[in-house]
Amino acid sequence: MIEVRDVSASIGPIRILSGVSLAAARGRFVTVIGANGAGKTTLLRTISNLLTPSSGRVTFDGKDTRGIAPHRLARTGLVHVPQGRQIVPALSVEDNLMLGASNIRGLARGDIREAIEREYARFPVLRARAGIAGGNLSGGEQQMLAISRAVLMKPKALLLDEPSLGLAPQLVALILKALREMADAGVAVILVEQLAMMSLSIADDAYVLRQGRIVLSGPAADLRGNASVVESYLT
Amino acid sequence: MKTILAVLALSLPAAAAVDVIKVGVVEGLSGPPAITDFGESYLQGLKYAVKQYEEGGGKPKIQLVVYDDEANPQRAVSLVQRLIQSDNVPVVVGTVSSGNVMAFAPVLQRAEVPLIAGPSIATNITTDFIKQKPSYIFRCSMVEKFQIDAILEWGVKNFKKIGLIHSTTGYGNFAAKSIEEGLKQRSASLAANEAAAPGVNDLTPQMLKMRDAGVDLVLNFHESFELVFRPMAALNYHPTIAGNWGLSSLKVEQVVGAKSLEGTVMGQALDQSTPEAKKFDAGMKKEYGKEYRWPVVAALGYDAGQILTAVIAKAQSADPKVLRDAIENVDGVKAITATPSHPFSPTDHECIKANGVFLGVWKNGQVVRLEPKR
Amino acid sequence: MSWANFLQLTVSGLAMGAIYTLTAKGLFIAHLATNRLNFAQGDFLMIAALLTLALRGLGIPVPVVIVAVVLILGFAGWGLERIFIRPLDRLGFRGGGEYSWILTTAGAGLVIQNVAELVWGKSAQYSPPLFSGRNEPVRFLGAGVYPEQLAVIAVSVLVVAAFYWFLFRTRWGKSIYAVAFNPDAAVLLGIDVRRMVVLVFALASMLAGISGVLAGPIVSVFPQMGLVFTVKGLAVAAVGGFNNPAAILFGGVLFGLAESFSNYLNSEFGDLLPLLFVLALLIVRPTGIAGGRKAAAR
């Protein structure tokens, strides 16, 4: 579903990514781990076209993404959940969810309601806080909201940038479970994280990013077995 | 090289024929309409006079060197300096703002180059210099004191309560002071006195105060003159309005509407019902079309032009001192305005005299002389 | 003060306040979505007033003129964003930094003023009444109200209501809040941010258009009239906290009334008292009346 081939990207004069390649097929849960500053966020931004790579290619659903406006990419199913949740603080939980649903064409009102109800079932606390303004939610609640909002966009590929940041472990587990369910339902999931062990225990494939390069890759189980090697790349 | 030539030129006998005489003109030709209407109209009249002179075969030819002072006093002074030093004009005409005139008049007096001031109206423009022997400062325009006197004289006789709306600019405050003094001299006072900032959008509160005080004559000395008229219908209050000669511009009629303007009084120095004025009016309309919108200011510019052309034709000289004397002694001026045929003397450098100022009133879309009630 | 005077002052204060409110609304909606606004908002109002004059002079019926002017102004808003604001984004830092749009939009205002002067001349123009019989005001309880004053008050209330509905009930309105909060995040939600920005500036300019059409018969129309409206619009928007349509209406009403009554009580200071009042209010509550949490946390 997503294929990154030999991508290099710079921000201004600074080269962030060099020759990065990865793939996330339909239904595969891919995780990219790296330390702070390794280029994880830049990688996701390059995939979602917020950033144009200086070389290399990104394909989504078989088509080259070059030149496609990011908002259009999002509407066709390439959903990127950025760092820090980005819940609109002035809008209520329900309204934030509506933002996700209503930007997808061709969704009938009834279907939208059904989809929202499914998310409330997945994260019951959201139903309890449905009318509360987004800015008044806790970090964990905002993250759940961000994920539900992304789900409502009917993603074919789902990119997540450090969703575990600042969250308690049981919350992280809950979120990872939700992502696993998405993958099992056929979505290509790319999870970018600093928490190596937790992501490795739930993903299918893994890549290690260090200073803008992929230094290690393979099935997650294999990398899990090589914990010390992985840790050494994260320093 | 230039200096040597200049010295040689000066040392030649004065009888040597001069082909072209340059006349320096500084006017306010850009900026707020309160300035440009004056500047452009005065210049229209001046140019028309020069045109007629040339069509009549006048010699020497006259070349107008026109600069725009943009209503800025520093700019006005530097333009005048440029006129006397670079352009070497022997006479200057201008400008709209009295403040600008007062800034450059001393320069011209010192340089001994005559000035015909206009259309500025500050009372002291000529009187500040007249005691100098000789004074180089003349003026062909309305004199503020004369028109305020005329209005007050008539107002005190014909109205029970007089009110004043003035702006807080130099112009408005100065007018307010003159009015208060003038009324005091006539043992009267204002029933209501309201100030308003120059950029204001609505004068309803001020007009309410006038109505409250029972004012039947409102003196309008605010730059946004039309705002006094607007609330009158809503307030069901229709006092007589009187103001300075600015109210005689045709633009006023366009902005306020002939109906509201009916009966409004202002200082005037041009009686549009005389045959000369009618001929002038027709000629100006032909020459300038819709651009011609202010008969009295254009007429004063025209009379200033007539004086200049008469003086230049007679003196046949580009010597500023000679020109000054000739201006002071000019005779036989067939003025359109109330300027007399022998306007100046060593003690009086005003075109318009106190008794030359009368009141005009809007009647049926035209400004005519106000007939005094007995 | 007599009852009739009080009413009279209230009405003219409300009418002027309504014009300021409409101007402020335009500033508000642009600022909400983009953290920028049109410093030539008052000049757009001026162009609308002059265009109305010109079109009516050609004999075109009033309703057509109104629609035409509003559409032309909307187009102008598009042009403003496209030419004077968007290029700065591309240039980033070299474009003069965070606030260069102030200069470019103010510059646009000066250009517009000069063009207006060239076309219409510099003096004040007479705006014929929109509804026939201007010099016949509606009388009630000893005060006279011109139909245009009633119209502008009604329109500003309608606009406030429309804004409320638009912002809080429609998808586009919610999208604007998302854009206001973080344009990148909004893009990722599938929102066409660029189109939103254009929409918002066009909307703001159409508001200037409506206020110009309505204000023409009430105030003096001349090319330099814009700046005062821009300044007062900013003051009213600031009082409203820049984030709540009802608060802006409230601010506009307060400002208009303060102007009207303070001029009655002491006319020498002109605009000083209402502006001082705004200043005092902002010192006490810097986020404006509706203040509290700011919607955009950039």
Side-chain angles (χ1 to χ4, degrees):
Chain A
M1 180 60 56
I2 298 238
E3 235 189 272
V4 177
R5 220 180 283 171
D6 213 18
V7 155
S8 299
S10 310
I11 295 184
I14 305 174
R15 170 76 69 96
I16 309 281
L17 299 174
S18 306
V20 169
S21 298
L22 65 81
R26 189 190 298 268
R28 294 299 273 180
F29 192 144
V30 170
T31 177
V32 178
I33 17 190
N36 252 335
K40 308 192 291 299
T41 299
T42 308
L43 174 59
L44 289 185
R45 288 171 68 95
T46 312
I47 299 176
S48 62
N49 264 352
L50 283 179
L51 197 56
T52 311
S54 48
S55 65
R57 218 163 75 118
V58 177
T59 33
F60 169 59
D61 206 5
K63 288 190 279 270
D64 191 334
T65 62
R66 190 199 316 265
I68 302 182
H71 74 269
R72 221 173 273 288
L73 218 46
R75 289 203 198 182
T76 54
L78 206 179
V79 179
H80 173 177
V81 180
Q83 208 174 53
R85 290 132 234 166
Q86 307 302 343
I87 296 301
V88 182
L91 298 178
S92 69
V93 165
E94 177 102 357
D95 280 340
N96 267 287
L97 288 175
M98 287 297 290
L99 269 184
S102 55
N103 277 296
I104 310 307
R105 295 256 163 81
L107 230 56
R109 186 154 281 197
D111 293 335
I112 298 184
R113 198 71 242 159
E114 243 184 73
I116 292 184
E117 287 302 319
R118 272 201 296 271
E119 292 314 306
Y120 282 152
R122 190 201 307 271
F123 296 126
V125 68
L126 289 182
R127 189 200 302 275
R129 318 272 273 158
I132 308 279
N136 286 335
L137 298 176
S138 72
E141 288 161 353
Q142 284 189 346
Q143 190 61 68
M144 289 187 261
L145 179 54
I147 294 191
S148 286
R149 188 174 63 182
V151 172
L152 286 168
M153 289 176 72
K154 306 241 299 204
K156 294 182 186 154
L158 189 57
L159 315 174
L160 299 116
D161 197 341
E162 296 197 57
S164 67
L165 216 48
L167 295 191
Q170 52 268 56
L171 221 47
V172 175
L174 194 62
I175 284 169
L176 290 179
K177 177 157 154 276
L179 295 179
R180 182 75 250 176
E181 283 166 10
M182 296 294 302
D184 293 339
V187 178
V189 175
I190 300 182
L191 171 69
V192 145
E193 264 302 345
Q194 282 189 59
L195 291 187
M197 288 309 134
M198 271 199 118
S199 4
L200 286 178
S201 63
I202 202 154
D204 297 323
D205 304 311
Y207 295 81
V208 177
L209 191 64
R210 180 179 155 87
Q211 286 173 1
R213 281 171 219 279
I214 301 287
V215 293
L216 205 54
S217 66
D222 290 353
L223 269 76
R224 206 165 49 234
N226 244 329
S228 48
V229 177
V230 173
E231 293 289 341
S232 69
Y233 282 121
L234 296 182
T235 44
Chain B
M1 193 61 196
K2 231 173 157 171
T3 349
I4 298 178
L5 282 179
V7 169
L8 278 176
L10 282 176
S11 61
L12 286 172
V18 182
D19 273 335
V20 180
I21 296 217
K22 291 204 258 194
V23 172
V25 180
V26 177
E27 284 295 344
L29 299 170
S30 60
I35 299 287
T36 57
D37 280 347
F38 276 101
E40 284 167 6
S41 302
Y42 201 79
L43 188 55
Q44 282 170 0
L46 183 66
K47 280 188 177 160
Y48 191 56
V50 171
K51 181 167 176 230
Q52 284 185 334
Y53 166 80
E54 301 210 323
E55 278 170 0
K59 290 221 188 305
K61 285 202 190 305
I62 294 178
Q63 182 194 349
L64 294 177
V65 182
V66 181
Y67 290 132
D68 174 8
D69 69 3
E70 297 170 15
N72 177 330
Q74 285 96 339
R75 196 172 161 80
V77 171
S78 66
L79 287 171
V80 162
Q81 280 167 340
R82 187 159 138 195
L83 282 170
I84 30 186
Q85 285 158 11
S86 290
D87 299 300
N88 290 312
V89 302
V91 61
V92 174
V93 178
T95 176
V96 178
S97 316
S98 302
N100 294 13
V101 174
M102 292 315 291
F104 61 60
V107 174
L108 288 163
Q109 175 72 20
R110 248 192 325 263
E112 295 179 329
V113 172
L115 166 71
I116 299 189
S120 42
I121 61 175
T123 310
N124 56 336
I125 284 178
T126 56
T127 55
D128 271 7
F129 294 91
I130 200 71
K131 291 223 173 38
Q132 315 229 13
K133 299 228 178 301
S135 160
Y136 280 78
I137 311 301
F138 299 82
R139 183 217 335 241
C140 243
S141 179
M142 174 66 72
V143 182
E144 178 79 314
K145 182 171 191 312
F146 299 165
Q147 68 175 348
I148 287 182
D149 278 345
I151 292 174
L152 292 179
E153 191 66 29
W154 163 81
V156 160
K157 284 201 195 98
N158 290 288
F159 294 91
K160 296 195 191 62
K161 293 208 166 140
I162 303 179
L164 165 67
I165 296 182
H166 70 97
S167 74
T168 48
T169 59
Y171 155 74
N173 286 331
F174 184 80
K177 212 159 88 156
S178 312
I179 289 170
E180 282 165 340
E181 280 168 7
L183 282 174
K184 203 151 126 215
Q185 282 168 4
R186 293 171 173 79
S187 311
S189 62
L190 289 168
N193 184 350
E194 292 297 316
V200 82
N201 273 316
D202 177 35
L203 285 176
T204 306
Q206 287 81 356
M207 285 299 275
L208 271 179
K209 286 275 190 61
M210 297 286 133
R211 186 179 76 175
D212 286 349
V215 163
D216 48 352
L217 169 67
V218 174
L219 301 177
N220 181 358
F221 282 83
H222 192 283
E223 282 88 350
S224 300
F225 51 78
E226 74 278 11
L227 291 179
V228 166
F229 293 90
R230 272 181 204 262
M232 289 182 3
L235 298 180
N236 207 11
Y237 170 57
H238 301 273
T240 308
I241 309 288
N244 79 8
W245 66 333
L247 289 174
S248 59
S249 164
L250 284 175
K251 268 265 184 303
V252 177
E253 193 188 11
Q254 282 172 17
V255 176
V256 176
K259 195 161 146 233
S260 310
L261 209 45
E262 188 80 7
T264 295
V265 165
M266 81 293 300
Q268 266 293 70
L270 173 69
D271 186 344
Q272 285 192 265
S273 60
T274 64
E276 298 88 20
K278 289 201 176 111
K279 189 158 155 236
F280 173 72
D281 199 57
M284 289 294 279
K285 282 205 179 94
K286 197 154 146 236
E287 179 77 7
Y288 292 103
K290 272 216 307 243
E291 291 283 310
Y292 166 64
R293 60 225 193 240
W294 208 339
V296 62
V297 175
L300 280 162
Y302 180 76
D303 285 344
Q306 287 209 82
I307 291 174
L308 265 181
T309 55
V311 157
I312 285 174
K314 184 142 178 254
Q316 292 289 322
S317 161
D319 182 343
K321 291 202 182 73
V322 170
L323 288 176
R324 187 219 82 90
D325 292 338
I327 294 175
E328 197 173 72
N329 295 314
V330 73
D331 202 347
V333 178
K334 296 200 185 62
I336 309 287
T337 64
T339 305
S341 58
H342 185 121
F344 306 125
S345 77
T347 51
D348 179 0
H349 278 187
E350 296 283 358
C351 271
I352 303 288
K353 317 293 177 192
N355 60 10
V357 172
F358 54 94
L359 292 179
V361 63
W362 277 97
K363 253 194 179 27
N364 298 324
Q366 254 223 320
V367 176
V368 298
R369 184 184 275 268
L370 174 70
E371 299 309 327
K373 292 197 196 89
R374 288 276 168 246
Chain C
M1 186 188 308
S2 70
W3 182 237
N5 280 2
F6 181 81
L7 268 182
Q8 191 71 60
L9 290 172
T10 302
V11 168
S12 43
L14 285 179
M16 288 311 297
I19 298 176
Y20 301 143
T21 298
L22 286 172
T23 309
K25 283 265 185 289
L27 295 170
F28 152 71
I29 191 69
H31 185 264
L32 179 65
T34 66
N35 252 10
R36 296 162 179 180
L37 45 83
N38 180 7
F39 258 85
Q41 184 80 357
D43 299 298
F44 275 37
L45 186 158
M46 172 267 290
I47 284 288
L50 285 173
L51 275 177
T52 310
L53 265 181
L55 292 177
R56 291 197 61 193
L58 293 175
I60 303 177
V62 171
V64 178
V65 170
I66 295 181
V67 170
V69 169
V70 169
L71 286 177
I72 294 175
L73 264 289
F75 182 72
W78 169 84
L80 180 84
E81 198 275 328
R82 195 73 194 70
I83 302 173
F84 290 89
I85 301 182
R86 194 185 299 181
L88 299 174
D89 291 337
R90 291 220 191 97
L91 293 173
F93 247 125
R94 276 170 292 130
E98 279 279 303
Y99 294 103
S100 42
W101 51 267
I102 298 183
L103 283 175
T104 54
T105 55
L110 278 176
V111 168
I112 293 172
Q113 271 186 49
N114 279 297
V115 169
E117 279 180 21
L118 279 174
V119 174
W120 282 284
K122 297 163 186 145
S123 6
Q125 304 278 342
Y126 171 59
S127 261
L130 283 176
F131 315 100
S132 58
R134 180 266 200 92
N135 279 325
E136 278 122 58
V138 173
R139 312 213 69 85
F140 70 99
L141 299 171
V145 188
Y146 291 115
E148 284 83 7
Q149 290 175 306
L150 289 175
V152 75
I153 294 173
V155 167
S156 69
V157 170
L158 274 175
V159 164
V160 171
F163 261 66
Y164 247 115
W165 173 81
F166 174 74
L167 279 177
F168 295 118
R169 291 239 175 284
T170 66
R171 166 169 73 96
W172 273 357
K174 294 174 193 162
S175 302
I176 287 187
Y177 274 102
V179 171
F181 170 61
N182 184 334
D184 275 355
V187 163
L188 293 179
L189 288 171
I191 297 173
D192 188 343
V193 170
R194 183 171 295 182
R195 197 190 299 176
M196 279 281 122
V197 170
V198 169
L199 167 77
V200 143
F201 271 96
L203 193 56
S205 300
M206 289 199 278
L207 282 172
I210 299 175
S211 46
V213 167
L214 291 171
I218 301 179
V219 305
S220 276
V221 179
F222 56 98
Q224 292 84 19
M225 68 189 282
L227 182 61
V228 168
F229 283 98
T230 305
V231 168
K232 292 184 181 172
L234 281 171
V236 167
V239 164
F242 263 104
N243 65 11
N244 185 321
I248 290 177
L249 175 67
F250 186 58
V253 163
L254 269 188
F255 196 93
L257 290 176
E259 206 178 53
S260 182
F261 281 90
S262 70
N263 266 310
Y264 179 79
L265 294 170
N266 184 338
S267 54
E268 264 191 80
F269 298 111
D271 293 329
L272 180 65
L273 288 175
L275 288 172
L276 271 184
F277 164 72
V278 168
L279 191 64
L281 192 141
L282 289 175
I283 290 176
V284 168
R285 261 186 93 88
T287 46
I289 295 178
R293 314 178 31 123
K294 273 183 67 75
R298 272 183 219 260

